[in-house]
Amino acid sequence: MEYNTIGKPQPIISSVDKVTGRAHYTDDLRVHNPLHVKILRSPHASAKIISIATEKAMALSGVKLILTGADFKNTFGVLPISKDESALAKTVVRYIGEPVAAVAAESAAIAEKALKYIDVTYECLTPVIDMRKALDKTENSIHPELKKTTNLHKAVEQNFGDLDTGFKEAEQIVDEFFTFDAVTHAFTEPHATQVVLDGEGNITVYSATQVPYYLHKALAEVLEIPMHRLRVIKPHLGGGFGGKSDPFPHEMIAVKCALSTGRNIRLVFSREEVFYSHHGRHPSRINMKLGYHPKKGITALKGDMLIDGGAYASFGVVTSYYNGVLLQGPYELKNFGFHCDRVYTNKPVCGAMRGHGGVNPRFATEVALDIALTKAKIDPGYGRLDMILKPHSLTPGQFRITSSGLKQGLEKALQSSEWKRKYGKLPYGKGIGVACGFFISGSALPIHWTQMPQSTVRLTIDFDGGVTLYSGASDIGQGSDTMLAQMAAEVLGLPMKMIKVISADTRLTPIDYGSYSSRVTFMAGNAARNAAISIRKQLVEAACEILEIPPPIYASPAIPDSSFDLGGREPDFGNPYLGPNPKYHSDGFTFKDQLITTKQGNKSLNYLDVVRKAMDFQGALQAKGVYLSPKLGGDFKGAGAGLSPSYSFTTFVSEVSVDTETGFIKVDKVTCAHDCGFPLNPLSVQGQLEGSIHMGLGQALMEKMNYSRDGVLQNANFLDYKIPSAFEQPEINIVALESSENEGPFGAKEVGEGALAPLSPSVANALYDAVGIRLTSLPMTPDKVLKAMQQLKEG
Amino acid sequence: MILKDILYHRPESIAEAIGLSQECLNNGQRFHYLGGGTDLIPNLKRGQCDDSLHLISLGRIPDLKKIVEEDGKLKIGALRNLAELINHPLIEKIIPGLALAAGKIASPQIRSRATLGGNLLVDTRCVYFNQTETIVAADGACYKNGGTVCHLIPNASGKPNKPCRARFVSDSAAILVLADAQLEIASASGIRKIGLREFYGQDGISRNNLSPSEIVVGITVPLRDYRVMTYEKMRLRATFDFASVGIGFFSDGQTLHFSVNGVESYPLYRAFALPKTGENAVEGIYSSWLQGICEELAKNCSPLKQDLLSPAYRKQMIAVLAKRAAYKYIKPRSLNTLEC
Ligand SMILES: Cc1cc2nc3c(=O)[nH]c(=O)nc-3n(C[C@H](O)[C@H](O)[C@H](O)COP(=O)(O)OP(=O)(O)OC[C@H]3O[C@@H](n4cnc5c(N)ncnc54)[C@H](O)[C@@H]3O)c2cc1C
């Protein structure tokens, strides 16, 4: 199929503004005469707040307001089942850096100074820092309101098939223990919120958020203001990676300050505060037991996870499930189970981070599998080929695998990296390793239960023919605005420049849940495409009128592929009219280069003439498109976790050089095959893959939140928290795949997250090939490498 | 922390600068000389800085910016920035090891501002010192932050002499001690000279023997053959990072000179005379001898937990890097015979 704009590299909209400094991020906005807000943070990991004396601070000239926990009645949390956080700590503090009081003052310097004049008396308690200790019995649990005798937040478990039999069938059983330090998103733009009031009681909140609608809802609930008085706008955003996908205390504080003072508010974080705000990847301890048989593949897989949630719940329940359910791909499995305990500790909160919940268990599985294959003397590259999930199949937990380009991807990646020539044959110190993965392409379940479509997009065309597309999706730097514009440009045959995207403004744009779980391209993309198709129908009608031919009869919307094995269940694809891929190409016209031409090519009309005709008697053209995912999944406990209308698949082959005297690992080259269905914009696919590799490399080699025994984060800055530099970035070899997803917009699936997880295990497996050691803990710093090499030498 | 109430001065001569600082001293006001500010400003920003502060910029003083070869010496002005040093033909000709080390400092952006003088005077670093107010409050202030404890060596707490083991991190100093460079220092009473090896003390707080209003004018490097000189810098990230361990190496044909950076509170310097074996002093050095001195170098150091890499590992790396540095120039002739 010949496309107009999709499948061709499109520079990200506003990239020029971003690199020239014209793009305004939240911090860049100059709101009129704001009060500046600074937050006093707890210096104790665990303590009772005995008293807070604010009088001295209030007496400073320029100080207008001081808030404490008493000013906030309602708690919140991104998941409705675990709203355990208050904007400011009430009776206890639970981590170093937790907000305790907030000052609004005429200048940032005054606000900062005032913080020093607030006297908080604490009574220190013994903090729980080590996640293992969190399972001990205690009378002083971190969240007494849960009335539990330990600091366990959530235990989840699922079992499918028969693990015992599975392990009995195995020829190799690998039972390994893995540990993972905490890592954080390290996005460029610190959190910032600004609030503008008008005289009518309307409150406009500009915030660096991935989830304007969840924020909208949370602000309304916590501060008890009607939603219609609130408007949340996400300006340009300098990276999220999951770290801006919760409603945050500072956002509540900023709006509360505005309401209490009647003034505009400006609140901007320092980098240190970003580290406390965290919500990054859960540090974890994972036991992975894997049974393998050369003929049967993975005969059983059992994961036991302990994950450290820090002080509050955030996405924790979802994370706990993802730790387990994301193990049921990309390999065929019958006997599979997991147990995951999420505990509270006195450290900054963990939440969602790129590859949410799936990254650490993926490392454990891919390394365990590699051990099994090498023990069985089976090539770990080609050996994996026999085990991968087939397209059109169901996993044990009833994930519907629609399309999968994994087989092709793995084969191509092995070929392109010259695996056969290299694996096991490189000189000592050099190695090659492989790992695979898969990821959801949009969580099918919204966080707040509703039957609404997951995404709605509105399109209007006015008399100049320009298209305005309204979407609630948040462009967080990943390029979703560009993707949306491509949808309209493609369907309507217009240049990208004629599409203007207005996004993430709760007053103007229809609901979309936000940018998380790699859902935007699939869901908002489908909605945008459907909206554009709806407009196209109006244009086709007008064209037929001009040409005096009868309107077309449309082929019925494609029912999604029903050819796969549903294990005896009835397929349910929801409302097909809202569903994917209405066949607009059966309308008898081609839309290209602002010309609307009949399929036979005999008659051609100018796009603008058709638009004008269509507007006769009705004015501006409007259309709405939605996406509602088909009904998915089983009905056992936790069945909803990880359900997605489709899944992406990834293979990484990494080549490393190890400095055998110092233990430094240099990743020389990464060959990457990622099945994102049809790549709508090869340029941003490439960008996402390069970014995933870079981020994966950080966790693999050097990133670690360095907590002291007392829970002090010792590296809350970018000098000491080490994200890799350009020097560490390997040569990247992206292998093109021919793949298409029936239900995706023009065949697309996700590319933002899935490609992160397999990076670190591919490096670990390459390390084994290079020097014969298995590292089971991240990051793989040179001291660990050298120690393991010495242990190997000593036997 | 927002810096405010700063009084900024831009004197145009050394005398004027010293005059300004003397005035501050007389009036009991805080002041700092300002080079590139890449060490000072971040340190001020996280410090307690409520009272007013004078910053005396040295950037406009031509006398601090010379690079000349004169009287059998190379003289480098303190206010030359590191990017300039890396590309300067005289440095390339005389002591390329300095350009090499300077090129491993921080990042290109920082090197364009950071000065040589500032680098030689860069403050010592510690996980408990280079921290924000919240973290200092959480830990309790250490000696170097004005408190009464040392978190690094707990039994060093409560001592009246406030011993401090914050790390010395200047990469250029690690090279210049090898060359026995001299500092030229100006004060109200004139110019004094001091060898870099004597300049640094052993304590992380007092650091060196510069008194408050003194200005480092520059360094002088005696002209010798510095071709057999190198700097090995180990850090987790290949750029934008201080040394976990830095090893300077220089051989003059008679003696092997080593320095260790990033571990002790000063640039540790050790020289080992090449053993005389037979006719040629260079030939016949046994690799076991080299191994021995590298291990001795490591023995002289006691890394502490100030880095993401473990102290034991860093200690081990001192020997590994020292050997690596030496082997760049000393080639084994046979299995255990070496040759420069
Ligand atoms: C991210 C980052 C990474 C860094 N990495 C490294 C690294 O890898 N290696 C390294 O060595 N350093 C590193 N630094 C520290 C610093 O950038 C360098 O040491 C730099 O050379 C300091 O020079 P400056 O001119 O900026 O010093 P300044 O900050 O201007 O001054 C430093 C100190 O010296 C005093 N001073 C400066 N010049 C004179 C003078 N002529 N006479 C008397 N007193 C003077 C100042 O008062 C101050 O106390 C790093 C800094 C940052 C922010």
mmCIF file of all heavy atoms in Angstrom, chain A residues 683-713:
data_model
loop_
_atom_site.group_PDB
_atom_site.id
_atom_site.type_symbol
_atom_site.label_atom_id
_atom_site.label_comp_id
_atom_site.label_asym_id
_atom_site.label_seq_id
_atom_site.Cartn_x
_atom_site.Cartn_y
_atom_site.Cartn_z
ATOM 1 N N LEU A 683 11.640 7.651 11.910
ATOM 2 C CA LEU A 683 12.562 8.521 12.636
ATOM 3 C C LEU A 683 12.311 8.440 14.139
ATOM 4 O O LEU A 683 13.241 8.343 14.938
ATOM 5 C CB LEU A 683 12.372 9.960 12.146
ATOM 6 C CG LEU A 683 13.489 10.944 12.410
ATOM 7 C CD1 LEU A 683 14.780 10.480 11.758
ATOM 8 C CD2 LEU A 683 13.090 12.322 11.875
ATOM 9 N N SER A 684 11.044 8.470 14.530
ATOM 10 C CA SER A 684 10.808 8.419 15.971
ATOM 11 C C SER A 684 10.947 6.997 16.500
ATOM 12 O O SER A 684 11.296 6.803 17.662
ATOM 13 C CB SER A 684 9.474 9.065 16.374
ATOM 14 O OG SER A 684 8.411 8.450 15.766
ATOM 15 N N VAL A 685 10.721 6.002 15.645
ATOM 16 C CA VAL A 685 11.002 4.623 16.075
ATOM 17 C C VAL A 685 12.493 4.510 16.410
ATOM 18 O O VAL A 685 12.886 4.012 17.464
ATOM 19 C CB VAL A 685 10.616 3.604 14.985
ATOM 20 C CG1 VAL A 685 11.171 2.227 15.304
ATOM 21 C CG2 VAL A 685 9.097 3.533 14.848
ATOM 22 N N GLN A 686 13.307 5.037 15.510
ATOM 23 C CA GLN A 686 14.749 5.009 15.746
ATOM 24 C C GLN A 686 15.103 5.741 17.040
ATOM 25 O O GLN A 686 15.884 5.253 17.865
ATOM 26 C CB GLN A 686 15.456 5.654 14.556
ATOM 27 C CG GLN A 686 16.967 5.616 14.658
ATOM 28 C CD GLN A 686 17.633 6.405 13.528
ATOM 29 O OE1 GLN A 686 17.010 6.669 12.496
ATOM 30 N NE2 GLN A 686 18.871 6.791 13.724
ATOM 31 N N GLY A 687 14.489 6.909 17.236
ATOM 32 C CA GLY A 687 14.756 7.690 18.449
ATOM 33 C C GLY A 687 14.385 6.927 19.702
ATOM 34 O O GLY A 687 15.134 6.894 20.676
ATOM 35 N N GLN A 688 13.221 6.287 19.674
ATOM 36 C CA GLN A 688 12.780 5.528 20.846
ATOM 37 C C GLN A 688 13.717 4.365 21.135
ATOM 38 O O GLN A 688 14.022 4.058 22.280
ATOM 39 C CB GLN A 688 11.356 5.004 20.641
ATOM 40 C CG GLN A 688 10.278 6.076 20.747
ATOM 41 C CD GLN A 688 10.208 6.695 22.132
ATOM 42 O OE1 GLN A 688 10.463 6.042 23.136
ATOM 43 N NE2 GLN A 688 9.877 7.978 22.195
ATOM 44 N N LEU A 689 14.172 3.711 20.070
ATOM 45 C CA LEU A 689 15.070 2.565 20.279
ATOM 46 C C LEU A 689 16.411 3.035 20.833
ATOM 47 O O LEU A 689 16.955 2.443 21.773
ATOM 48 C CB LEU A 689 15.251 1.776 18.980
ATOM 49 C CG LEU A 689 13.981 1.086 18.471
ATOM 50 C CD1 LEU A 689 14.230 0.362 17.159
ATOM 51 C CD2 LEU A 689 13.432 0.108 19.516
ATOM 52 N N GLU A 690 16.937 4.099 20.262
ATOM 53 C CA GLU A 690 18.209 4.614 20.769
ATOM 54 C C GLU A 690 18.072 5.020 22.232
ATOM 55 O O GLU A 690 18.942 4.756 23.061
ATOM 56 C CB GLU A 690 18.671 5.811 19.925
ATOM 57 C CG GLU A 690 19.159 5.390 18.549
ATOM 58 C CD GLU A 690 19.416 6.563 17.605
ATOM 59 O OE1 GLU A 690 19.138 7.723 17.993
ATOM 60 O OE2 GLU A 690 19.892 6.311 16.487
ATOM 61 N N GLY A 691 16.942 5.669 22.537
ATOM 62 C CA GLY A 691 16.703 6.092 23.918
ATOM 63 C C GLY A 691 16.555 4.909 24.860
ATOM 64 O O GLY A 691 17.082 4.917 25.976
ATOM 65 N N SER A 692 15.846 3.876 24.411
ATOM 66 C CA SER A 692 15.663 2.688 25.253
ATOM 67 C C SER A 692 17.005 2.038 25.535
ATOM 68 O O SER A 692 17.276 1.592 26.653
ATOM 69 C CB SER A 692 14.770 1.665 24.547
ATOM 70 O OG SER A 692 13.452 2.128 24.500
ATOM 71 N N ILE A 693 17.833 1.985 24.523
ATOM 72 C CA ILE A 693 19.141 1.356 24.694
ATOM 73 C C ILE A 693 19.966 2.175 25.686
ATOM 74 O O ILE A 693 20.589 1.639 26.602
ATOM 75 C CB ILE A 693 19.851 1.211 23.331
ATOM 76 C CG1 ILE A 693 19.134 0.143 22.507
ATOM 77 C CG2 ILE A 693 21.329 0.868 23.506
ATOM 78 C CD1 ILE A 693 19.539 0.066 21.062
ATOM 79 N N HIS A 694 19.918 3.473 25.537
ATOM 80 C CA HIS A 694 20.683 4.350 26.431
ATOM 81 C C HIS A 694 20.209 4.183 27.873
ATOM 82 O O HIS A 694 21.001 4.032 28.795
ATOM 83 C CB HIS A 694 20.501 5.796 25.982
ATOM 84 C CG HIS A 694 21.415 6.751 26.658
ATOM 85 N ND1 HIS A 694 22.732 6.869 26.343
ATOM 86 C CD2 HIS A 694 21.204 7.618 27.670
ATOM 87 C CE1 HIS A 694 23.308 7.772 27.117
ATOM 88 N NE2 HIS A 694 22.392 8.248 27.941
ATOM 89 N N MET A 695 18.906 4.185 28.043
ATOM 90 C CA MET A 695 18.351 4.087 29.389
ATOM 91 C C MET A 695 18.616 2.696 29.974
ATOM 92 O O MET A 695 18.956 2.559 31.148
ATOM 93 C CB MET A 695 16.855 4.344 29.324
ATOM 94 C CG MET A 695 16.283 4.903 30.585
ATOM 95 S SD MET A 695 14.648 5.545 30.212
ATOM 96 C CE MET A 695 14.353 6.505 31.669
ATOM 97 N N GLY A 696 18.460 1.681 29.133
ATOM 98 C CA GLY A 696 18.730 0.317 29.587
ATOM 99 C C GLY A 696 20.184 0.156 29.994
ATOM 100 O O GLY A 696 20.512 -0.495 30.984
ATOM 101 N N LEU A 697 21.040 0.815 29.250
ATOM 102 C CA LEU A 697 22.467 0.752 29.525
ATOM 103 C C LEU A 697 22.788 1.376 30.886
ATOM 104 O O LEU A 697 23.657 0.892 31.613
ATOM 105 C CB LEU A 697 23.190 1.533 28.428
ATOM 106 C CG LEU A 697 24.625 1.169 28.148
ATOM 107 C CD1 LEU A 697 24.708 -0.246 27.626
ATOM 108 C CD2 LEU A 697 25.204 2.138 27.124
ATOM 109 N N GLY A 698 22.067 2.446 31.201
ATOM 110 C CA GLY A 698 22.287 3.087 32.495
ATOM 111 C C GLY A 698 22.025 2.122 33.632
ATOM 112 O O GLY A 698 22.845 1.958 34.535
ATOM 113 N N GLN A 699 20.880 1.454 33.567
ATOM 114 C CA GLN A 699 20.566 0.507 34.639
ATOM 115 C C GLN A 699 21.519 -0.689 34.599
ATOM 116 O O GLN A 699 21.880 -1.241 35.628
ATOM 117 C CB GLN A 699 19.111 0.021 34.536
ATOM 118 C CG GLN A 699 18.707 -0.750 35.793
ATOM 119 C CD GLN A 699 17.312 -1.347 35.745
ATOM 120 O OE1 GLN A 699 16.632 -1.297 34.728
ATOM 121 N NE2 GLN A 699 16.880 -1.917 36.862
ATOM 122 N N ALA A 700 21.924 -1.061 33.400
ATOM 123 C CA ALA A 700 22.812 -2.215 33.279
ATOM 124 C C ALA A 700 24.186 -1.931 33.883
ATOM 125 O O ALA A 700 24.754 -2.776 34.566
ATOM 126 C CB ALA A 700 22.965 -2.609 31.810
ATOM 127 N N LEU A 701 24.704 -0.744 33.655
ATOM 128 C CA LEU A 701 26.112 -0.518 33.975
ATOM 129 C C LEU A 701 26.387 0.410 35.159
ATOM 130 O O LEU A 701 27.385 0.244 35.843
ATOM 131 C CB LEU A 701 26.844 0.049 32.749
ATOM 132 C CG LEU A 701 26.864 -0.826 31.505
ATOM 133 C CD1 LEU A 701 27.666 -0.151 30.411
ATOM 134 C CD2 LEU A 701 27.414 -2.207 31.803
ATOM 135 N N MET A 702 25.565 1.431 35.394
ATOM 136 C CA MET A 702 26.004 2.403 36.389
ATOM 137 C C MET A 702 24.925 3.066 37.232
ATOM 138 O O MET A 702 25.233 3.613 38.273
ATOM 139 C CB MET A 702 26.859 3.471 35.712
ATOM 140 C CG MET A 702 26.193 4.171 34.550
ATOM 141 S SD MET A 702 27.317 5.311 33.697
ATOM 142 C CE MET A 702 28.395 4.196 32.854
ATOM 143 N N GLU A 703 23.679 3.060 36.812
ATOM 144 C CA GLU A 703 22.698 3.829 37.574
ATOM 145 C C GLU A 703 22.269 3.105 38.834
ATOM 146 O O GLU A 703 22.025 1.902 38.824
ATOM 147 C CB GLU A 703 21.471 4.129 36.701
ATOM 148 C CG GLU A 703 21.755 5.188 35.683
ATOM 149 C CD GLU A 703 20.548 5.542 34.856
ATOM 150 O OE1 GLU A 703 19.441 5.617 35.406
ATOM 151 O OE2 GLU A 703 20.724 5.740 33.645
ATOM 152 N N LYS A 704 22.152 3.882 39.890
ATOM 153 C CA LYS A 704 21.786 3.295 41.177
ATOM 154 C C LYS A 704 21.495 4.430 42.144
ATOM 155 O O LYS A 704 22.288 5.360 42.272
ATOM 156 C CB LYS A 704 22.974 2.462 41.647
ATOM 157 C CG LYS A 704 23.114 2.289 43.120
ATOM 158 C CD LYS A 704 24.362 1.505 43.448
ATOM 159 C CE LYS A 704 24.400 1.332 44.957
ATOM 160 N NZ LYS A 704 25.310 0.321 45.403
ATOM 161 N N MET A 705 20.363 4.367 42.799
ATOM 162 C CA MET A 705 20.100 5.351 43.852
ATOM 163 C C MET A 705 20.805 4.844 45.088
ATOM 164 O O MET A 705 20.492 3.772 45.597
ATOM 165 C CB MET A 705 18.599 5.513 44.066
ATOM 166 C CG MET A 705 17.946 6.173 42.859
ATOM 167 S SD MET A 705 16.177 6.288 42.973
ATOM 168 C CE MET A 705 15.968 7.755 43.958
ATOM 169 N N ASN A 706 21.734 5.647 45.533
ATOM 170 C CA ASN A 706 22.641 5.185 46.563
ATOM 171 C C ASN A 706 22.122 5.604 47.946
ATOM 172 O O ASN A 706 22.362 6.713 48.386
ATOM 173 C CB ASN A 706 24.023 5.787 46.280
ATOM 174 C CG ASN A 706 25.122 5.036 46.967
ATOM 175 O OD1 ASN A 706 24.970 3.850 47.280
ATOM 176 N ND2 ASN A 706 26.222 5.713 47.218
ATOM 177 N N TYR A 707 21.404 4.691 48.600
ATOM 178 C CA TYR A 707 20.854 5.001 49.918
ATOM 179 C C TYR A 707 21.830 4.569 51.008
ATOM 180 O O TYR A 707 22.413 3.486 50.932
ATOM 181 C CB TYR A 707 19.538 4.253 50.142
ATOM 182 C CG TYR A 707 18.397 4.777 49.315
ATOM 183 C CD1 TYR A 707 17.938 4.077 48.208
ATOM 184 C CD2 TYR A 707 17.768 5.976 49.641
ATOM 185 C CE1 TYR A 707 16.889 4.556 47.432
ATOM 186 C CE2 TYR A 707 16.716 6.462 48.881
ATOM 187 C CZ TYR A 707 16.285 5.750 47.787
ATOM 188 O OH TYR A 707 15.245 6.225 47.026
ATOM 189 N N SER A 708 21.965 5.402 52.013
ATOM 190 C CA SER A 708 22.750 4.992 53.167
ATOM 191 C C SER A 708 21.885 4.083 54.031
ATOM 192 O O SER A 708 20.684 3.944 53.796
ATOM 193 C CB SER A 708 23.187 6.207 53.978
ATOM 194 O OG SER A 708 22.089 6.687 54.732
ATOM 195 N N ARG A 709 22.497 3.496 55.033
ATOM 196 C CA ARG A 709 21.742 2.607 55.906
ATOM 197 C C ARG A 709 20.578 3.328 56.588
ATOM 198 O O ARG A 709 19.585 2.751 56.967
ATOM 199 C CB ARG A 709 22.673 2.012 56.963
ATOM 200 C CG ARG A 709 22.871 0.519 56.783
ATOM 201 C CD ARG A 709 23.868 -0.008 57.795
ATOM 202 N NE ARG A 709 25.199 0.493 57.495
ATOM 203 C CZ ARG A 709 26.071 0.915 58.403
ATOM 204 N NH1 ARG A 709 25.767 0.912 59.673
ATOM 205 N NH2 ARG A 709 27.266 1.343 58.045
ATOM 206 N N ASP A 710 20.728 4.653 56.738
ATOM 207 C CA ASP A 710 19.666 5.428 57.394
ATOM 208 C C ASP A 710 18.630 5.951 56.409
ATOM 209 O O ASP A 710 17.763 6.734 56.774
ATOM 210 C CB ASP A 710 20.285 6.612 58.142
ATOM 211 C CG ASP A 710 21.357 6.155 59.115
ATOM 212 O OD1 ASP A 710 21.153 5.101 59.745
ATOM 213 O OD2 ASP A 710 22.400 6.832 59.218
ATOM 214 N N GLY A 711 18.765 5.559 55.149
ATOM 215 C CA GLY A 711 17.771 6.002 54.171
ATOM 216 C C GLY A 711 18.065 7.358 53.562
ATOM 217 O O GLY A 711 17.188 7.977 52.967
ATOM 218 N N VAL A 712 19.308 7.812 53.694
ATOM 219 C CA VAL A 712 19.687 9.070 53.053
ATOM 220 C C VAL A 712 20.087 8.769 51.611
ATOM 221 O O VAL A 712 20.928 7.910 51.366
ATOM 222 C CB VAL A 712 20.893 9.717 53.774
ATOM 223 C CG1 VAL A 712 21.278 11.026 53.105
ATOM 224 C CG2 VAL A 712 20.586 9.933 55.245
ATOM 225 N N LEU A 713 19.468 9.466 50.687
ATOM 226 C CA LEU A 713 19.836 9.304 49.286
ATOM 227 C C LEU A 713 21.107 10.108 49.041
ATOM 228 O O LEU A 713 21.083 11.328 49.051
ATOM 229 C CB LEU A 713 18.704 9.786 48.376
ATOM 230 C CG LEU A 713 18.966 9.653 46.882
ATOM 231 C CD1 LEU A 713 19.281 8.223 46.488
ATOM 232 C CD2 LEU A 713 17.792 10.182 46.084
#
